[in-house]
Amino acid sequence: MKTRNAKTCIVALAAIAASVFSQSVLALEAGASQTRPAPAIEQMRVEDVAIEEVVVTGRFISSSQELVNERMSDAFATDLLGAEAISRLGDSTVAAALRRVPGLTLVQDKYVYIRGLGERYSQSTLNRAQIPSPDLTRNVIPLNIFPTSIVESLKVQKAWSADLPANFGGGAIDIRTKGIPDDLTFKFEIGLGDNSANPRKVYSYAGGGDDSRGVDDGTRALSPLIRDGVVSYQGNPGVNAILNFMQRQDATASLYDAQTVNREMALALNRNVSIVEEDAHPDYSARVSFGDKYEFGRDWEAGFSIGGSYGTDWRFRRARTASFGLPEEQNGVKEETTRSINMAGTVNLGLKFGEDHEVSTTSLFLRNTDDETEVFDFFNENRPLSSGRGFRNYRLQFEERDMVTHQIDGTHYLGADTRERLPLAGKLFAWLPEDSKIEWFYSTSEAETGIPNQVTVASETVTERDSGAVLSESVRLTSSAADYRFTELDDEVDNYGWSVTAPLEWGSSYIELSAGWGHARKARIYRQDQFSLGFLNVADQSVLEGSLGDVFSDENILADVADPDPDNPLPDARVFVNNIVFDRQGTNSNSYLAATMTDSIWAKVDWTLHDTWRIAVGARWEDFRLAAVDWNPNGFSTASPQVTTGVEELARGTFKEDRVYPAVGFTYMGDLWAETFQVRLGYSETAIRPDLREITDSSYIDPITGDLIRGNPGVRPSDIESIDLRAEWYFDNGDNVTMTLFRKDVDNAIEFFEIPASDTTIAREIINAESGWVQGVEFEFLKELGFMGSIFDTLFVQGNLTLQESELTAGPNANVPTNPVRPLSGASDYVVNFMIGFDSPDARHTASLIYNVFGERLYVAGRNGSPDGYEQPFHGLDATYFWYPTERLTFKAKAQNILGEEIDIRRGDVVTFSQDPGTMYSISMSWSL
């Protein structure tokens, strides 16, 4: 995959922003400092939430309780999922695991909505550091790229605190990777799986030799011949432009000469795109990890862990679409085969001196590649079903997403041992109280996404008038019958910072004073080149029939004959048999350059009184700057420059904000109805900023909906006020109950609204709606069932329920919305998670039955009387089973979507989209030291 130096982009955009603002540095602080719990809290943690060793309830109950202590010690509302719990739930990606958290729903299998707020309202970090996004259409990170095999725990903080970045809406998700083991470890795992929706044969095409590694070997890539041709002909490789250029060099140059050059570029395209059928393969995966820790003398410890995984799966999806106006006449069937390659590699190193000093590094590599083959038969207003004529579109897309992250962080306690052994450090930090803590981190990451070739071919069909079955087809007679797109994304993020925590204790008071500084910068380069290939006329209709490889064959492109024109003065003149043309397409509005920088300073006071009352007050100052500009990589003139130099245009793509964001949290700790009881009240003010590409005029096609999405340089951040009230009951047998009331008010909410477009195109634009709000209640519980009798000693139930309502007021910026007041996009009225678990007394067997459902949620908002589209409830039922025949050997079986539910979207009374994701089955075996 071809990449560029994104830091050059930062410098260039900073210069652009400087022409508009007097300052042009850019930034963001992401390292939230974790503080050592107060002595009162630590004592409560040990005494009041002890795990009774005499009750052998198995692996999951214990693993759930391991994270309770951290949750209790946080001053603000937090939910956590540990590695053992994730394994028990059977989820293979971080995105899938997070749907088990109260108030979280999963959209498109990769984006997480927290408390009814869309993916833009949640932020994701890796070990507290910001990371880039490999998503071509969004600035947020698709969480399905992270395998759960690398995860130690997932932390979801729903109430904001000052040590988090202020770009905070529904919540913050921190993916915490596995670190250094306490002893020698080795684990190997292999797995197999399948999906009930996969037929015996699936669609495919001739790819490259390295497809199994998730990379293209150059087969699909844009040829240097085409790149050079675009430059030579000043961005216009069409026949007429080539002829004009050639005749300026040689007046005798003919149309045939120009067509020959044009067709040579056409031949450089990958035209081996015939759709074939091949056997569907089962899913398979393999993982291995190895680590150890060593002691050196009395004070030093060092350790490492290395891990890697590889997996591939095939998925066949059949979706039915329909127009809400005339569903019986305007509908379609889309069949898609996707081969996915998923790879991950981690290297962790750690060094520890005494009990007070620790430095660790994390290096992470992720690759997620999807190779898609799609056939879409449909009827529209121009060719309804009853006409016996329809359309067929073919799409081949190879999309490779890579991310590489390198992190280093340190934690240093200034205790008595450190002050004694390191006198210089003791003198340097003598002003800090004993047991003060200094933390620092540095993270650099790069995400690259490449589509070396996305091919779409438009055909016309003759069909049965009643059933729509295809009787015959031919490639459309148009210059843009075949569309070739080559896309490259490079996204870089550098994030670093430090924090200091100083504990103070006297009498019945314990106070932690903490403060920190952070810097983050992000640069994104997005480039898309688009070309077309098609016939204006053919010598025979049969040229347009047959396989796609035959239609666009060398023979059909190069076939020529002697010129039949008797008036041609050249006796040896020739003409091409078929008039096929190659050209560059698009409006030059897809590519862009963007960068942000944020500097931040924060401070927090956390005061505990009488082991009963606790107040945490903090504030964060952020200086945020953003610069983005449309980029025409094929601009070769002042009339069509690569980047505009107009001050007004540059100003529209820049934004600067300098603000202070407050947060306050109150906690009461007692023993109301349980051995440990806590009630928390939190309030905060934050903001949500637009994505990088959204403040440019660039446009793109949404890969899910097929809609044209346009940016808006006028969009500005949303301001958010949040309030949470949470009560928690923890019982000393491990049971717990939580109830949370919450409300969020959003001013200038960022949302997509439909705008006018052509009859066959739906276009949406990002705007600031007037306002929005979401409010609700969350319930969560974990309960052993032994109280029902000894036969139930091995069973437990765990679950959560979220009930919420939301509202969005469109305001004057929206273009004739059907419902000016409506729910927030993606917000569900309810979300339910429930699990019943079994842990055998001999710890040899565990099993779980897991249920998840979300309420109807807004998928797309209508315009000018068109109904809104709502995704219907999906009742997911999964089951997992573990067998531990020995201490080292584990067998696992998993089934997902046992009920065979389908994904449905309704607009009014019409199902406009329906897809069967199938039931997934898998088995695996692992062996460990």
Side-chain angles (χ1 to χ4, degrees):
M1 186 188 310
K2 185 175 180 180
T3 62
R4 294 173 174 79
N5 188 342
K7 293 184 175 63
T8 303
C9 172
I10 292 179
V11 175
L13 286 170
I16 293 171
S19 68
V20 183
F21 297 117
S22 59
Q23 299 181 359
S24 62
V25 260
L26 295 94
L28 221 148
E29 205 259 272
S33 73
Q34 275 184 294
T35 59
R36 180 179 282 174
I41 296 175
E42 187 148 7
Q43 183 179 5
M44 173 189 68
R45 185 178 67 187
V46 175
E47 297 177 356
D48 297 339
V49 198
I51 300 173
E52 297 186 26
E53 296 180 1
V54 296
V55 181
V56 185
T57 54
R59 304 164 186 268
F60 182 74
I61 287 287
S62 299
S63 67
S64 296
Q65 292 170 343
E66 287 173 2
L67 295 171
V68 166
N69 297 333
E70 179 181 351
R71 176 174 171 173
M72 291 174 61
S73 65
D74 280 340
F76 296 87
T78 299
D79 291 309
L80 298 116
L81 271 179
E84 186 71 23
I86 294 171
S87 175
R88 178 73 180 254
L89 292 165
D91 297 314
S92 59
T93 70
V94 166
L98 285 169
R99 64 194 165 111
R100 316 295 185 179
V101 176
L104 272 65
T105 54
L106 184 61
V107 178
Q108 299 171 13
D109 290 329
K110 55 184 174 181
Y111 302 115
V112 171
Y113 282 37
I114 302 178
R115 290 178 170 174
L117 294 173
E119 73 271 9
R120 71 168 63 252
Y121 291 91
S122 64
Q123 60 168 291
S124 300
T125 55
L126 183 71
N127 299 321
R128 300 177 299 161
Q130 296 179 55
I131 50 177
S133 170
D135 194 295
L136 292 171
T137 61
R138 292 167 175 82
N139 198 33
V140 297
I141 302 164
L143 295 174
N144 63 331
I145 69 171
F146 294 96
T148 52
S149 59
I150 70 170
V151 173
E152 180 65 32
S153 63
L154 299 173
K155 180 179 180 180
V156 181
Q157 186 166 328
K158 299 175 183 175
W160 184 74
S161 56
D163 52 357
L164 294 176
N167 192 52
F168 182 100
I173 300 166
D174 187 31
I175 304 168
R176 303 190 286 194
T177 58
K178 295 178 179 177
I180 305 304
D182 293 327
D183 207 341
L184 176 65
T185 62
F186 176 82
K187 184 175 182 179
F188 176 74
E189 180 179 341
I190 55 174
L192 290 172
D194 204 356
N195 187 289
S196 66
N198 288 355
R200 189 173 63 86
K201 296 285 188 179
V202 294
Y203 293 128
S204 186
Y205 67 99
D210 293 332
D211 287 3
S212 61
R213 297 195 297 112
V215 294
D216 179 57
D217 62 358
T219 298
R220 306 172 179 86
L222 182 59
S223 168
L225 178 65
I226 297 177
R227 287 196 184 275
D228 294 342
V230 171
V231 173
S232 298
Y233 303 112
Q234 300 291 285
N236 190 348
V239 172
N240 291 333
I242 294 173
L243 179 60
N244 291 334
F245 178 85
M246 294 178 70
Q247 288 182 339
R248 287 196 298 269
Q249 308 295 322
D250 181 0
T252 63
S254 66
L255 177 62
Y256 180 85
D257 296 329
Q259 289 176 327
T260 300
V261 173
N262 180 265
R263 291 172 190 235
E264 287 175 351
M265 285 187 281
L267 293 175
L269 292 170
N270 175 34
R271 292 163 292 107
N272 188 13
V273 292
S274 296
I275 306 296
V276 298
E277 290 188 349
E278 66 174 83
D279 293 334
H281 301 279
D283 306 342
Y284 60 88
S285 62
R287 300 185 183 96
V288 63
S289 61
F290 174 61
D292 201 358
K293 187 170 69 173
Y294 308 92
E295 296 183 358
F296 302 93
R298 185 168 63 95
D299 298 323
W300 292 91
E301 291 182 0
F304 74 94
S305 66
I306 301 173
S309 65
Y310 175 90
T312 182
D313 58 70
W314 292 77
R315 289 292 176 267
F316 178 85
R317 295 287 182 264
R318 190 175 193 270
R320 299 177 298 278
T321 64
S323 163
F324 61 83
L326 294 169
E328 295 182 356
E329 288 286 345
Q330 300 174 20
N331 52 55
V333 175
K334 182 182 295 184
E335 296 183 332
E336 176 187 294
T337 300
T338 302
R339 182 192 184 190
S340 298
I341 304 294
N342 298 288
M343 302 173 65
T346 58
V347 177
N348 298 288
L349 303 175
L351 183 64
K352 188 175 181 181
F353 176 72
E355 295 297 323
D356 290 347
H357 303 278
E358 186 171 359
V359 176
S360 61
T361 69
T362 299
S363 293
L364 171 67
F365 167 76
L366 296 175
R367 171 170 295 161
N368 173 246
T369 298
D370 291 331
D371 192 3
E372 301 174 356
T373 308
E374 178 186 285
V375 180
F376 184 24
D377 291 312
F378 64 98
F379 306 90
N380 60 21
E381 61 272 23
N382 297 319
R383 289 190 169 195
L385 175 64
S386 59
S387 70
R389 301 167 63 212
F391 298 97
R392 169 174 285 182
N393 283 353
Y394 295 94
R395 182 178 62 85
L396 313 177
Q397 180 172 314
F398 186 92
E399 182 172 350
E400 175 192 344
R401 295 171 289 269
D402 289 350
M403 189 173 77
V404 178
T405 299
H406 299 290
Q407 299 178 333
I408 182 170
D409 62 86
T411 302
H412 310 276
Y413 286 97
L414 302 177
D417 184 63
T418 294
R419 296 172 189 264
E420 179 182 346
R421 296 190 184 195
L422 304 174
L424 181 60
K427 292 180 181 179
L428 186 62
F429 298 102
W431 54 277
L432 286 174
E434 190 170 315
D435 288 329
S436 293
K437 178 174 65 173
I438 298 175
E439 292 183 292
W440 55 271
F441 74 97
Y442 177 85
S443 174
T444 181
S445 307
E446 181 176 14
E448 296 179 316
T449 298
I451 302 180
N453 195 358
Q454 175 186 322
V455 185
T456 304
V457 180
S459 297
E460 297 175 343
T461 58
V462 177
T463 64
E464 291 279 3
R465 294 178 182 273
D466 296 328
S467 66
V470 175
L471 301 176
S472 64
E473 66 167 306
S474 60
V475 172
R476 296 187 67 184
L477 193 65
T478 173
S479 62
S480 57
D483 181 272
Y484 284 76
R485 300 189 186 192
F486 304 86
T487 305
E488 299 174 5
L489 167 72
D490 187 271
D491 204 17
E492 289 190 13
V493 174
D494 290 335
N495 188 199
Y496 46 89
W498 54 263
S499 65
V500 178
T501 302
L504 301 173
E505 186 174 8
W506 69 90
S508 57
S509 292
Y510 177 84
I511 297 178
E512 278 190 349
L513 305 176
S514 55
W517 170 88
H519 176 81
R521 59 171 175 245
K522 177 173 185 173
R524 172 172 278 211
I525 300 174
Y526 180 90
R527 174 172 180 165
Q528 184 178 98
D529 293 291
Q530 184 178 355
F531 301 91
S532 63
L533 180 65
F535 295 90
L536 295 178
N537 56 66
V538 292
D540 189 278
Q541 176 65 22
S542 62
V543 170
L544 302 176
E545 300 171 353
S547 68
L548 299 182
D550 290 340
V551 172
F552 296 104
S553 64
D554 293 4
E555 180 181 355
N556 286 341
I557 293 175
L558 297 178
D560 64 352
V561 296
D563 190 350
D565 185 0
D567 297 328
N568 194 320
L570 298 177
D572 297 326
R574 302 186 66 80
V575 295
F576 288 102
V577 173
N578 301 310
N579 189 1
I580 187 171
V581 290
F582 165 82
D583 209 345
R584 191 169 62 85
Q585 291 293 311
T587 59
N588 305 321
S589 62
N590 294 323
S591 304
Y592 66 94
L593 310 173
T596 68
M597 286 187 184
T598 311
D599 289 303
S600 58
I601 299 174
W602 61 271
K604 188 168 63 172
V605 178
D606 191 346
W607 177 25
T608 301
L609 179 64
H610 294 300
D611 296 343
T612 303
W613 300 96
R614 183 180 184 185
I615 180 172
V617 180
R620 184 184 189 89
W621 169 80
E622 284 195 351
D623 187 12
F624 171 79
R625 283 140 294 173
L626 181 153
V629 63
D630 295 337
W631 175 36
N632 177 12
N634 296 310
F636 294 94
S637 66
T638 55
S640 179
Q642 290 202 4
V643 176
T644 182
T645 56
V647 175
E648 292 185 5
E649 289 87 346
L650 293 173
R652 294 175 65 215
T654 55
F655 179 78
K656 184 180 188 300
E657 185 179 63
D658 179 359
R659 286 183 55 185
V660 174
Y661 301 89
V664 59
F666 298 93
T667 304
Y668 168 77
M669 297 169 283
D671 57 0
L672 177 67
W673 303 338
E675 287 74 24
T676 301
F677 168 73
Q678 289 191 152
V679 60
R680 312 168 191 264
L681 176 65
Y683 172 83
S684 65
E685 297 177 9
T686 55
I688 286 295
R689 294 152 186 153
D691 288 351
L692 290 175
R693 78 178 305 157
E694 290 176 348
I695 68 165
T696 72
D697 290 314
S698 66
S699 61
Y700 63 92
I701 300 297
D702 188 283
I704 304 299
T705 65
D707 297 346
L708 176 67
I709 307 298
R710 292 177 179 168
N712 177 6
V715 72
R716 287 298 178 257
S718 303
D719 295 321
I720 300 177
E721 288 188 62
S722 304
I723 187 166
D724 291 76
L725 179 63
R726 170 177 283 198
E728 301 167 313
W729 292 267
Y730 297 96
F731 302 89
D732 58 8
N733 66 349
D735 295 349
N736 60 75
V737 178
T738 301
M739 183 179 73
T740 306
L741 300 173
F742 64 89
R743 180 180 173 94
K744 294 180 182 289
D745 290 283
V746 186
D747 189 32
N748 292 322
I750 301 174
E751 286 273 328
F752 285 105
F753 282 85
E754 188 174 341
I755 57 176
S758 67
D759 293 339
T760 57
T761 301
I762 297 176
R764 305 188 186 280
E765 184 181 42
I766 194 77
I767 70 165
N768 286 115
E770 184 176 301
S771 63
W773 56 263
V774 60
Q775 62 184 19
V777 58
E778 297 171 349
F779 301 93
E780 184 179 8
F781 66 90
L782 171 66
K783 177 63 180 173
E784 298 179 71
L785 299 182
F787 71 97
M788 298 174 63
S790 59
I791 192 174
F792 295 99
D793 282 344
T794 58
L795 299 177
F796 67 92
V797 292
Q798 182 184 41
N800 55 72
L801 167 67
T802 301
L803 302 173
Q804 63 187 17
E805 58 180 345
S806 67
E807 182 179 284
L808 179 78
T809 302
N813 293 331
N815 189 289
V816 200
T818 298
N819 295 303
V821 179
R822 60 166 175 81
L824 288 166
S825 297
S828 301
D829 290 339
Y830 62 88
V831 182
V832 178
N833 286 288
F834 180 80
M835 179 176 73
I836 181 167
F838 165 79
D839 290 326
S840 67
D842 62 0
R844 295 291 190 187
H845 307 273
T846 66
S848 303
L849 192 65
I850 309 117
Y851 173 74
N852 169 270
V853 64
F854 57 82
E856 184 180 74
R857 60 191 184 193
L858 182 68
Y859 186 80
V860 60
R863 173 184 175 273
N864 205 21
S866 300
D868 294 338
Y870 283 87
E871 185 176 357
Q872 301 304 295
F874 186 96
H875 298 267
L877 184 64
D878 305 337
T880 61
Y881 167 73
F882 289 79
W883 175 37
Y884 309 93
T886 71
E887 292 184 0
R888 301 185 187 278
L889 191 62
T890 302
F891 292 93
K892 176 182 175 182
K894 178 175 67 174
Q896 293 180 293
N897 192 25
I898 297 172
L899 300 178
E901 284 283 279
E902 293 192 357
I903 301 169
D904 289 338
I905 297 174
R906 288 182 176 269
R907 300 191 72 170
D909 295 329
V910 177
V911 177
T912 57
F913 179 89
S914 182
Q915 183 184 83
D916 178 12
T919 300
M920 289 151 280
Y921 307 95
S922 66
I923 57 173
S924 64
M925 180 195 73
S926 62
W927 184 88
S928 59
L929 286 177

